[in-house]
Amino acid sequence: MKDLHRILNEITQLTTRIETDYPELYRSLDENPMTLPVSKHPHMDKVVMQEYLQSLKQLLEHYIDEHKAEKS
């Protein structure tokens, strides 16, 4: 359970960083309450959340790399 809590904290910190430092990227995440699962018990375990965290990290890394290349 502590691992899941740590992952959720990392997701929160990363999305807050994206929202603050890269608002144009944050808008493209398209995350809002309307996109949350509607089923009563969606499958959201540690593995799923870890994969989501990794995808956010990759998205941010790719975005930063692209913008560094554009400025060069």
Side-chain angles (χ1 to χ4, degrees), residues 27-54:
R27 286 189 294 274
S28 72
L29 292 179
D30 196 28
E31 294 180 353
N32 61 55
M34 298 303 291
T35 61
L36 296 176
V38 292
S39 66
K40 288 184 180 182
H41 303 286
H43 180 70
M44 301 298 279
D45 63 6
K46 183 176 118 179
V47 173
V48 171
M49 298 309 290
Q50 182 66 43
E51 289 172 357
Y52 178 63
L53 176 59
Q54 290 305 317

Side-chain angles (χ1 to χ4, degrees), residues 14-72:
L14 186 55
T15 54
T16 300
R17 177 179 174 212
I18 292 170
E19 181 181 23
T20 303
D21 298 339
Y22 307 97
E24 62 283 0
L25 177 60
Y26 183 77
R27 286 189 294 274
S28 72
L29 292 179
D30 196 28
E31 294 180 353
N32 61 55
M34 298 303 291
T35 61
L36 296 176
V38 292
S39 66
K40 288 184 180 182
H41 303 286
H43 180 70
M44 301 298 279
D45 63 6
K46 183 176 118 179
V47 173
V48 171
M49 298 309 290
Q50 182 66 43
E51 289 172 357
Y52 178 63
L53 176 59
Q54 290 305 317
S55 71
L56 284 175
K57 288 178 179 180
Q58 290 172 356
L59 179 69
L60 179 57
E61 183 179 323
H62 178 73
Y63 183 82
I64 291 171
D65 288 346
E66 275 189 357
H67 283 80
K68 281 183 184 177
E70 288 176 5
K71 291 180 181 180
S72 299

